[in-house]
Amino acid sequence: MPRFSVTPVTHWVLVPPSHRPPEALLTTLVASRGRSDRLTHTEHLPARRARHSAWPDSIRPEIRAAALELGVERPWAHQAEAMNLARAGRTVVLATGTASGKSLGYLAPVLSELLDGTEAPNGRGSTALYLAPTKALAADQRRRATELAPPRVRAALYDGDTPAQEREWVRQYASYVLTNPDMLHRGILPAHSRWASFLKALHYVVIDECHTYRGVFGSHVAQVLRRLRRLCRRYGSEPVFLLASATAADPAAAAERLTGLPAVAVTEDASPRGPLVFALWEPPLTEYVGENGAPVRRTATAEAAYLLTDLVADGTRTVAFVRSRRAAELVALQAQDNLDATLANRVAAYRGGYLAEERRALERDLHSGRLLGLASTSALELGVDVSGLDAVLLAGYPGTRASLWQQAGRAGREGQGALAVLIARDDPLDTYLVHHPEALFERPVEATVLDPDNPHVLAPHLCAAAAELPLGPEDRDLFGPASDQLLPVLEQRGLLRRRSDGCWYWTRRERAADAVDLRGSGGNPVQIVEVSTGRLLGTVDAAAAHTTVHTGAVHLHRGRTYLVRELDLETSVALVESANPSYTTAARDTTAISVLSTDRSVAWGAGRLSFGSVEVVNQVVGFLRKRISTGEILGETKLDLPPRTLRTRAVWWSVTEEQLLDATIPFDQLPGAAHAAEHASIGLLPLFATCDRWDIGGVSVPLHPDTRLPTVFVYDGHPGGAGFAEHGFRRAVEWLTATRDAIAACECDRGCPSCVQSPKCGNGNDPLDKAGAVRLLTVLLAGAPRE
């Protein structure tokens, strides 16, 4: 029996690559191994014909000629519209579907401007800056730029992998610099005097995949862009911002929040598209039981591994998107075990945390076609050009409809028909979606949620800006009125000082930018080191270290399994040793919450819905060992880790004793009912806000000391809040109604991972009362506003 499988597996041999119709691929998957009952819905999206436009006169003939050599005779209508707006100096956001040629839409005007600049005496009369959320995307975009522009347009990467000896050349000579927000924040803006000639000539700033800048990360990036605009003013430039986004609700408003500038949206997609068959797939129940005897479905990762095996064996180029680094390793490893040795070498994992040379090698193999199957985290969701893919597997709902369509759109980029399969996790939201396809296919994508005025975000950026150049009254239009309240507070803390010229100055010796945690990771990343060799395997974010690389945790890297011998929080190092356990691990924690302030509160009959600031104290207290692929609990181990405190934003609802009587919930059953409602509401909030359940947390209390009532909290998992809880407050009626309906519709008897059990519950999913949660939510919603 191959490792990680639960049934005997056929070992496949290599067959020639095929471009079979997606309907035929799906029929094969359904017919194989008795899977006919797992397909819950099939959506057929028709092909779309292209609409072309003439090249704008402002695009240089060299660019047109290069595009023609690449097979582009004329641009699509939306590309030409974006080119005209960009050359006219408008901030534009190109928000069209995957594989709709957004890159050409912004590259043509940018490279035309840079070619104009090469005619200046110094050869760099104009410069452009490109920002991508990942290094892989920046590397891919550099390749595209060099295909379109003559060599005199000098395009260069500038990120953490750029050798020190090359960085000075980039600063002095590159006209098109491709980087990421982290490097702009830490490496370019604090050293702006060394970048003076580049910033003085800066004409365009490209922000690719801008829909990924949401929540706290998006709020940080918004402030980084304001700091960039401020320094450009200092050097006499006013760059034009060009943004590319997946299809999103109100992209112009999102672009304006991100850049601080009025934006025009181009949203009508004129690109051709092959037919897409989108299947919704629910893994079967197993004979195993989980916590408290609940039925357990086969995991989405195990199911994805089997489907990936069949598709690779069929010669179908496939990417399986998974939700975590560990899952990427598991899916690739299981598919390799299931396949003949010749094909096993054509399957790999791709995720963050790999070393730079490892990532580059995988990207080359994917582009060349040597890799036939890839298990990837969302690192490949973004615009990395992966031509020739015929199928995409999504092991779990990726958190937003925008991401769903981004991932599904990775296949069929050459106009052929494509297959996408969403494999439901044992999770309330996934279960709801595969049985309510209208929630995916008949609703618009979400609005991007970010809050640049979040004081936890704005304050450190004010310090960073003051360290770059003293802050004056003229900067208020960039940082907004919220800065007026924060500047005196920062002075009281001894971080800034106001001098007689009316400007604010940074007072410390250390770099202010180093105090800004751009991605909200909670501190320095933890290095994962192999004990026997001292080799650095990778890193993990500090915020995730307590739950993922605690002592005793199982860690996967490049198909090899390790056990964490020790997590040293002082040195930020996790020491691991090679191992081959028959289980995975899942952390358990405890959480306490207190209300700091209530911003808004609405009566829901006798109950009440509120939104405000809270303090959350969380502590990892142990971990469970679970059998691989089944979820069966094998045991529990205690841990002694320090608590972590988070001040954030939350939405909460309370009910009265009379309402509990109306719902026939005795007080001894209340903890289970509230706990179950909390879990399910966390699971369903991503349907209404651009988040997933790992961005948010929750606490249920039978009698909370601040509200003095039974209360359920759902909070943002980021300091200062990320906007998700506020979105829940605004859409609470829809959100909690869907939550109640999802619990009631689940086929289990007492509660399972598909309705009220949570994979990150710190209490072992005990107590839970499924029927009580339905009654509790029903009596709450009975008093909800009817508007």
Side-chain angles (χ1 to χ4, degrees):
M1 183 182 295
R3 193 189 316 168
F4 302 133
S5 64
V6 295
T7 57
V9 177
T10 302
H11 283 259
W12 301 92
V13 295
L14 180 64
V15 297
S18 65
H19 289 288
R20 295 174 58 201
E23 293 85 356
L25 289 176
L26 182 59
T27 299
T28 299
L29 293 179
V30 171
S32 175
R33 312 185 198 193
R35 296 174 176 147
S36 59
D37 61 337
R38 304 181 197 180
L39 185 66
T40 63
H41 179 80
T42 305
E43 191 81 8
H44 294 266
L45 303 178
R48 180 180 60 215
R49 299 186 65 179
R51 290 186 293 106
H52 292 91
S53 289
W55 282 101
D57 294 338
S58 59
I59 303 304
R60 295 270 300 216
E62 299 96 322
I63 305 300
R64 300 186 206 180
L68 184 60
E69 288 185 12
L70 295 173
V72 180
E73 183 177 350
R74 291 180 298 156
W76 294 317
H78 66 271
Q79 293 173 320
E81 183 182 357
M83 294 174 196
N84 282 321
L85 288 166
R87 290 297 266 173
R90 303 291 298 277
T91 296
V92 57
V93 54
L94 188 53
T96 51
T98 308
S100 60
K102 292 187 283 287
S103 296
L104 182 63
Y106 59 73
L107 273 174
V110 167
L111 297 177
S112 293
E113 176 64 31
L114 297 183
L115 277 171
D116 292 344
T118 61
E119 297 164 3
N122 67 352
R124 197 168 76 159
S126 289
T127 61
L129 183 69
Y130 169 92
L131 297 176
T134 67
K135 295 177 183 178
L137 181 53
D140 187 73
Q141 286 296 308
R142 180 182 181 275
R143 178 182 59 81
R144 295 192 192 189
T146 55
E147 290 174 344
L148 282 171
R152 65 180 186 272
V153 173
R154 298 183 288 265
L157 293 170
Y158 191 83
D159 58 31
D161 297 336
T162 306
Q165 61 271 24
E166 292 182 18
R167 296 189 179 191
E168 186 60 32
W169 183 91
V170 175
R171 281 191 289 266
Q172 292 187 16
Y173 301 109
S175 50
Y176 189 37
V177 173
L178 299 99
T179 187
N180 51 65
D182 310 80
M183 199 66 177
L184 176 62
H185 159 64
R186 290 184 180 274
I188 296 177
L189 298 184
H192 61 88
S193 60
R194 304 179 68 187
W195 288 84
S197 63
F198 180 88
L199 294 173
K200 182 178 181 179
L202 188 60
H203 191 87
Y204 284 116
V205 176
V206 177
I207 306 173
D208 206 354
E209 305 292 353
C210 67
H211 63 281
T212 63
Y213 301 126
R214 59 179 176 83
V216 169
F217 180 44
S219 302
H220 276 295
V221 173
Q223 293 299 342
V224 170
L225 296 178
R226 284 155 177 75
R227 286 163 49 202
L228 172 65
R229 290 175 53 207
R230 178 171 176 261
L231 291 175
C232 287
R233 284 185 188 178
R234 163 69 174 78
Y235 293 105
S237 64
E238 289 280 350
V240 176
F241 283 76
L242 309 179
L243 301 93
S245 170
T247 304
D250 203 353
E256 183 168 347
R257 284 195 300 272
L258 190 62
T259 64
L261 295 167
V264 179
V266 176
T267 58
E268 191 170 345
D269 195 334
S271 65
R273 183 186 66 195
L276 175 66
V277 174
F278 207 129
L280 304 184
W281 190 280
E282 186 172 43
L285 290 169
T286 68
E287 67 271 27
Y288 301 99
V289 295
E291 292 178 302
N292 307 309
V296 175
R297 292 191 183 276
R298 178 179 291 168
T299 65
T301 52
E303 193 79 351
Y306 281 107
L307 297 182
L308 181 62
T309 298
D310 291 349
L311 289 166
V312 169
D314 188 64
T316 303
R317 289 187 63 188
T318 307
V319 166
F321 283 106
V322 296
R323 301 297 308 281
S324 68
R325 296 178 176 186
R326 174 181 291 178
E329 300 280 1
L330 279 172
V331 169
L333 187 58
Q334 187 170 353
Q336 290 165 353
D337 282 349
N338 294 345
L339 290 162
D340 176 84
T342 306
L343 274 179
N345 290 329
R346 301 185 69 186
V347 176
Y350 184 98
R351 61 171 178 79
Y354 283 174
L355 302 178
E357 56 268 24
E358 295 174 327
R359 293 196 306 270
R360 298 292 179 261
L362 287 168
E363 290 158 16
R364 287 193 299 270
D365 290 343
L366 190 61
H367 281 297
S368 69
R370 192 197 73 78
L371 284 177
L372 196 55
L374 195 70
S376 174
T377 60
S378 59
L380 278 183
E381 170 188 324
L382 306 179
V384 178
D385 186 12
V386 186
S387 300
L389 288 179
D390 298 302
V392 169
L393 304 174
L394 293 83
Y397 181 60
T400 66
R401 287 182 288 274
S403 289
L404 178 92
W405 292 111
Q406 277 291 99
Q407 292 183 2
R410 294 294 96 192
R413 289 172 69 91
E414 293 180 339
Q416 78 274 26
L419 172 66
V421 183
L422 172 61
I423 306 165
R425 292 172 300 159
D426 215 353
D427 174 270
L429 179 56
D430 286 43
T431 302
Y432 180 85
L433 290 173
V434 295
H435 291 287
H436 295 80
E438 70 280 359
L440 289 176
F441 302 114
E442 297 177 15
R443 292 185 185 177
V445 296
E446 306 85 353
T448 302
V449 178
L450 62 101
D451 180 15
D453 294 329
N454 179 338
H456 292 266
V457 171
L458 178 56
H461 283 283
L462 290 174
C463 292
E468 290 153 5
L469 288 173
L471 282 167
E474 68 279 4
D475 296 319
R476 187 180 185 276
D477 66 321
L478 280 173
F479 296 108
S483 61
D484 294 340
Q485 288 77 41
L486 285 175
L487 289 171
V489 174
L490 294 172
E491 183 177 33
Q492 292 172 5
R493 294 179 182 173
L495 299 172
L496 297 182
R497 178 180 302 163
R498 191 174 193 180
R499 295 185 178 172
S500 57
D501 59 0
C503 293
W504 301 85
Y505 291 75
W506 174 245
T507 62
R508 304 293 183 88
R509 290 178 178 270
E510 61 267 23
R511 284 170 29 114
D514 292 341
V516 183
D517 191 6
L518 207 63
R519 294 182 184 260
S521 59
N524 294 326
V526 172
Q527 295 182 316
I528 303 168
V529 177
E530 188 175 24
V531 174
S532 59
T533 64
R535 182 167 61 103
L536 175 65
L537 299 181
T539 60
V540 64
D541 291 341
H546 285 216
T547 56
T548 58
V549 289
H550 55 75
T551 301
V554 174
H555 176 73
L556 292 175
H557 181 79
R558 299 302 303 271
R560 296 191 63 186
T561 308
Y562 298 85
L563 275 176
V564 179
R565 177 187 291 180
E566 180 186 358
L567 171 60
D568 189 333
L569 295 174
E570 290 188 6
T571 60
S572 295
V573 171
L575 299 175
V576 303
E577 56 190 4
S578 182
N580 191 26
S582 60
Y583 59 85
T584 62
T585 52
R588 291 188 59 182
D589 59 4
T590 61
T591 304
I593 193 167
S594 57
V595 176
L596 300 178
S597 64
T598 302
D599 292 0
R600 278 169 274 173
S601 189
V602 181
W604 277 27
R608 184 161 290 275
L609 179 80
S610 303
F611 170 74
S613 297
V614 297
E615 182 176 82
V616 182
V617 179
N618 175 268
Q619 184 173 19
V620 174
V621 295
F623 65 94
L624 299 175
R625 296 185 302 280
K626 298 184 177 183
R627 192 180 302 281
I628 295 168
S629 300
T630 69
E632 181 185 3
I633 306 298
L634 301 177
E636 181 179 354
T637 302
K638 301 296 183 183
L639 290 172
D640 183 20
L641 287 168
R644 298 171 68 93
T645 299
L646 171 71
R647 290 197 171 196
T648 185
R649 308 281 272 169
V651 54
W652 63 92
W653 50 268
S654 303
V655 293
T656 64
E657 185 176 349
E658 290 75 15
Q659 287 176 299
L660 294 178
L661 291 173
D662 291 341
T664 63
I665 300 176
F667 194 79
D668 62 338
Q669 295 178 16
L670 176 59
H675 194 196
E678 171 218 324
H679 280 183
S681 61
I682 290 172
L684 269 292
L685 182 56
L687 196 59
F688 302 93
T690 47
C691 66
D692 62 36
R693 72 181 306 152
W694 300 97
D695 288 322
I696 52 181
V699 178
S700 55
V701 185
L703 186 61
H704 193 272
D706 294 325
T707 65
R708 299 185 180 182
L709 292 169
T711 305
V712 173
F713 294 84
V714 176
Y715 60 85
D716 293 342
H718 301 273
F724 308 136
E726 184 172 14
H727 220 66
F729 177 82
R730 291 173 178 169
R731 302 189 64 184
V733 175
E734 299 170 83
W735 165 39
L736 295 177
T737 299
T739 300
R740 179 196 59 191
D741 294 347
I743 302 171
C746 186
E747 59 187 341
C748 73
D749 293 328
R750 297 192 305 160
C752 70
S754 294
C755 57
V756 298
Q757 286 194 351
S758 169
K760 59 175 186 173
C761 178
N763 298 313
N765 285 294
D766 184 46
L768 290 175
D769 184 342
K770 174 186 175 181
V774 174
R775 297 197 303 273
L776 181 62
L777 287 166
T778 298
V779 75
L780 173 73
L781 286 163
R786 296 301 171 196
E787 232 178 352

